[in-house]
Amino acid sequence: MDEAKTAVRRGGPEDWSVLKSIRLEALFDTPEAFGSTFGESSSWSDARWRKAAQDWHFFLAELEGRTLGMVTAGFNDQHPGTGWMYGMYVTPDARGTGVATKLMNAACEWALAQGLSQLHLQVTTIVSRARAFYEKSGFVSTGESITMERDPSISLITMVRDLG
């Protein structure tokens, strides 16, 4: 896989079916990493996916017409004034190729464009490769840990990265 040819772009309303496809792949591949489930999300109507594609700040990684991953950036009502990275996913055969870094950088650029100096995320303790990637990328634990709403047996660690 040629990392240099992988492009990351901002998704929009016209990308609703691509968003649906990669999000469902993520939920099926690594269910323990996400707050929503494959069952819940696969039952969404096309209208709901169109609305998500319109409302979410999401980025897609693509190579030669194939979607390799996604990430969503946004705000968190429980932490006013902070930027967050949600739903990072890279398809299995593209892991370790730099795609995750490109997606994370897109989320960081989004946060900077919003005038933010930090980007937060929550990562499950179960998916150790994700946490290791975030630590290698400059995210540090805030010390906050919560349990996942849909599955209290899963813990989430809050991490933050300074963007300055």
Side-chain angles (χ1 to χ4, degrees):
M1 188 166 299
D2 190 349
E3 176 190 347
K5 291 183 180 179
T6 300
V8 172
R9 66 177 179 85
R10 174 84 183 256
E14 68 282 0
D15 295 307
W16 71 270
S17 64
V18 176
L19 174 63
K20 175 182 177 179
S21 178
I22 194 69
R23 179 69 177 170
L24 291 178
E25 178 184 325
L27 296 172
F28 186 80
D29 178 74
T30 320
E32 66 278 6
F34 302 98
S36 57
T37 67
F38 178 83
E40 293 165 351
S41 298
S42 63
S43 70
W44 285 12
S45 67
D46 287 351
R48 187 161 177 191
W49 282 107
R50 283 184 178 96
K51 178 91 170 106
Q54 177 181 319
D55 294 346
W56 293 359
H57 307 285
F58 69 100
F59 300 87
L60 300 167
E62 299 170 322
L63 176 63
E64 298 172 356
R66 180 173 168 236
T67 304
L68 303 176
M70 69 161 290
V71 68
T72 303
F75 299 101
N76 184 325
D77 293 339
Q78 295 175 346
H79 301 275
T82 61
W84 289 73
M85 189 167 78
Y86 300 104
M88 167 83 95
Y89 174 74
V90 175
T91 198
D93 66 330
R95 293 176 186 157
T97 66
V99 171
T101 299
K102 287 184 174 191
L103 286 166
M104 179 197 59
N105 288 342
C108 290
E109 289 170 14
W110 172 88
L112 286 168
Q114 306 309 305
L116 302 169
S117 60
Q118 295 181 322
L119 189 64
H120 296 77
L121 60 84
Q122 290 178 324
V123 62
T124 67
T125 55
I126 295 173
V127 186
S128 58
R129 73 177 183 274
R131 184 173 178 189
F133 167 76
Y134 295 133
E135 288 173 343
K136 182 180 172 186
S137 300
F139 283 86
V140 295
S141 174
T142 65
E144 179 184 25
S145 178
I146 63 169
T147 57
M148 187 179 282
E149 228 175 87
R150 72 166 178 84
D151 185 346
S153 72
I154 298 175
S155 294
L156 299 165
I157 296 168
T158 302
M159 301 182 84
V160 64
R161 177 179 167 182
D162 287 325
L163 302 176

